[in-house]
Amino acid sequence: MIVTDETTTQTQLYIGGEWVDPSTNNVIQPVNPSTEEPVGQVPEANEKDVDRAVEAARAAFDEPQGWASWDAGRRAEIIERFADELEKRGGEIARQVSSQNGMPISMSGPVEGGFPAVALRYYAGLIREQGIEEQRAGIFGRPTRVRHEPVGVVAAIVPWNFPQALAFVKIAPALAAGCTMVIKPSPETVLDSYTLAEAAQAAGIPAGVLNIVPAGREVGAYLVGHPGVDKVGFTGSTEAGRSIGSTCGQLLRPVTLELGGKSAAILLDDADLPSLAAEFVDATLQNNGQTCYLCTRIFAPRAKYNEFVDQITDIVSSLRVGDALDPATQVGPLVSERQRARVEKYIEVGLAEGGRITTGGKRPAHLDRGYFIEPTVFADVTNDSTIAREEIFGPVLAVIPYDTIDDAIAMANDSEFGLGGSVWGQDTERALEVARRIQTGGVGINFYSHDIGSPFGGVKASGLGREQGPEGLAAYQNLKTIYNAP
């Protein structure tokens, strides 16, 4: 087991390309959920700090020769330099993230430490390919020009579960488009945002293009409604997303919302879970169950229900629970004591409503500290059960029987959410036909994963708009048409 006693203390905020003193003495102290010990301290930004950050971003955007005016190739060069600087710091970022939110270090290395550079390079290449203007023939014989212009100052509200990956699905396309940004990290994961700022500064990102204000919900709400902001990108809960969407709707301010989920995994009768155990765990329990798109509702054919329950139980019970910084750990702690209490409450409700736990359901006996909960499988659950309807955001799976494929699809679609999903079976064409009928933003066949080149987002209560892919770039651009005179 690996435990670190390192702590980090920061005393300033990154605003306008400089390290500046905060407006108050308030601080944020993130806690290592594996040890329950503080891992550092940073200033807590307030409304005055947000004002300064937005003003810096506004000035950088409005500067006649500034970032927004640069040609695509020049911006791409700096963005690629930013990727290089982040790569140098990938190991440090991974350790910081795992020490704050409990993500197993085996996952935070490639995802939190590696993905940001991948995203930056993808969008640098995309703007080189797309350019800023395109010409169209026009149906009335008058050619037109269509310009892809940056939307302006972007407020990016980033959650704690994937603080770097989810920051860079906003940062990378916004910078590529020519936008400037104010980023608000979650209080649970703030240390890694300082490493991000150091990389930006080393890469030569111009002053004011990136500004970082660690703070809580109230300051986040202030940022969302700030008159100097032109666009909001938010990842978080559906409840918070509704509030942000309402504010942006009143202001007629564009917003991208990536929200909650309660995704379905449909097991076809020929599914071979034992041979796909790693893929199944990744699709259902990734990041200790703290992932919005996880397939935590598992639909199994009634004729093979007990067999599938046993297979899932065997897979889940074999997972190693431990310190997030131990490379052998497969399931780390939940992010906080409050989050663990929330998950434990759902486990109590699942039992009270008639569910049967086949593995897990308790705090691990071999760990005397840390916010751990055993990965848990419920059998004998219906699609109307609370644990099948509400997002738990923890390592709890509900296995639900179905009679026909039509029944499985109907139950999968009987949800207020629609973010992810998966279909499992050896006949991939059959699985593909099922996938096409699920009402959701994305579906995996025999696994689930994102691709930076393809759009990601939800339907129904899982969000508005798309991130990643060319669609993610378009979300940070305005289109201007110039009509040529005859």
Side-chain angles (χ1 to χ4, degrees):
M1 182 176 290
I2 298 175
V3 179
T4 178
D5 293 325
E6 294 179 4
T7 61
T8 302
T9 299
Q10 301 285 353
T11 60
Q12 294 181 303
L13 300 171
Y14 186 68
I15 295 175
E18 299 178 339
W19 297 101
V20 301
D21 292 333
S23 297
T24 74
N25 294 323
N26 296 337
V27 297
I28 296 172
Q29 294 180 308
V31 170
N32 185 331
S34 294
T35 65
E36 302 182 37
E37 297 292 333
V39 289
Q41 179 175 296
V42 307
E44 181 178 16
N46 68 3
E47 287 83 355
K48 289 183 179 179
D49 299 311
V50 169
D51 289 340
R52 286 194 292 170
V54 173
E55 182 180 355
R58 184 86 264 161
F61 183 80
D62 291 338
E63 168 60 41
Q65 305 302 316
W67 183 253
S69 73
W70 288 16
D71 63 64
R74 188 182 177 195
R75 278 207 300 271
E77 184 178 340
I78 292 292
I79 289 170
E80 287 168 340
R81 197 180 303 164
F82 191 13
D84 293 341
E85 292 295 336
L86 284 165
E87 259 183 349
K88 295 176 185 177
R89 297 163 173 80
E92 179 184 0
I93 289 171
R95 189 181 69 254
Q96 288 172 329
V97 171
S98 292
S99 295
Q100 293 173 101
N101 72 1
M103 180 185 293
I105 192 70
S106 60
M107 180 182 182
S108 62
V111 175
E112 296 294 282
F115 175 80
V118 173
L120 288 167
R121 292 195 178 106
Y122 169 77
Y123 282 106
L126 192 60
I127 58 170
R128 280 196 177 103
E129 175 186 327
Q130 182 190 84
I132 295 173
E133 287 190 357
E134 60 177 293
Q135 292 201 37
R136 299 185 185 179
I139 62 172
F140 298 116
R142 298 178 181 178
T144 63
R145 294 177 183 269
V146 178
R147 287 181 56 81
H148 301 263
E149 298 185 340
V151 71
V153 175
V154 174
I157 314 295
V158 182
W160 49 260
N161 59 331
F162 291 87
Q164 290 296 304
L166 292 175
F168 276 90
V169 296
K170 299 164 180 59
I171 294 170
L175 293 187
C179 297
T180 61
M181 307 188 74
V182 178
I183 303 159
K184 191 205 78 66
S186 174
E188 288 83 0
T189 47
V190 290
L191 301 180
D192 48 292
S193 68
Y194 278 79
T195 308
L196 183 164
E198 291 166 4
Q201 198 170 40
I205 298 291
V209 171
L210 280 178
N211 308 273
I212 302 175
V213 286
R217 287 187 177 185
E218 294 78 11
V219 172
Y222 180 77
L223 173 61
V224 166
H226 199 286
V229 167
D230 300 303
K231 153 90 182 184
V232 175
F234 171 77
T235 301
S237 71
T238 295
E239 179 186 6
R242 291 186 196 279
S243 175
I244 290 170
S246 176
T247 297
C248 291
Q250 289 293 323
L251 296 170
L252 298 180
R253 178 169 295 169
V255 60
T256 301
L257 300 172
E258 196 265 281
L259 308 178
K262 192 70 181 178
S263 302
I266 297 179
L267 310 184
L268 304 182
D269 53 16
D270 64 343
D272 183 8
L273 292 187
S275 70
L276 296 167
E279 291 84 352
F280 182 78
V281 170
D282 199 44
T284 59
L285 292 167
Q286 184 187 81
N287 195 19
N288 319 327
Q290 299 175 139
T291 305
C292 52
Y293 56 73
L294 289 182
C295 301
T296 54
R297 291 184 300 150
I298 303 169
F299 295 98
R302 195 178 299 276
K304 299 181 70 174
Y305 181 76
N306 291 332
E307 179 182 344
F308 278 125
V309 167
D310 289 345
Q311 290 177 2
I312 294 167
T313 300
D314 289 344
I315 291 170
V316 173
S317 63
S318 71
L319 299 175
R320 178 167 177 168
V321 181
D323 191 295
L325 294 177
D326 185 340
T329 290
Q330 294 169 288
V331 179
L334 297 177
V335 69
S336 65
E337 185 175 15
R338 177 182 178 184
Q339 185 65 18
R340 182 175 62 180
R342 169 188 166 89
V343 173
E344 288 177 327
K345 182 63 177 178
Y346 273 109
I347 291 172
E348 292 175 7
V349 170
L351 288 170
E353 293 184 355
R356 173 172 58 91
I357 292 178
T358 65
T359 186
K362 306 181 301 298
R363 300 181 184 184
H366 69 288
L367 296 169
D368 58 2
R369 61 177 181 170
Y371 307 128
F372 294 96
I373 193 76
E374 296 172 334
T376 303
V377 176
F378 272 93
D380 303 335
V381 177
T382 71
N383 202 42
D384 294 328
S385 302
T386 300
I387 60 171
R389 307 301 296 182
E390 299 181 11
E391 185 177 35
I392 298 174
F393 227 61
V396 179
L397 307 181
V399 188
I400 303 165
Y402 71 84
D403 293 310
T404 69
I405 290 296
D406 287 345
D407 291 336
I409 293 169
M411 286 192 290
N413 292 338
D414 180 21
S415 172
E416 69 170 315
F417 300 107
L419 187 56
S422 57
V423 184
W424 303 77
Q426 297 181 63
D427 185 340
T428 54
E429 286 301 317
R430 182 183 175 211
L432 180 59
E433 287 303 311
V434 174
R436 288 182 174 125
R437 296 174 60 190
I438 300 175
Q439 298 167 359
T440 191
V443 184
I445 296 176
N446 291 325
F447 86 121
Y448 187 92
S449 182
H450 290 185
D451 187 311
I452 186 62
S454 299
F456 171 73
V459 299
K460 298 188 277 189
S462 288
L464 294 171
R466 291 294 181 268
E467 295 182 312
Q468 303 184 162
E471 295 80 2
L473 177 62
Y476 293 94
Q477 293 174 323
N478 287 325
L479 297 179
K480 176 191 288 181
T481 301
I482 300 176
Y483 303 97
N484 290 346

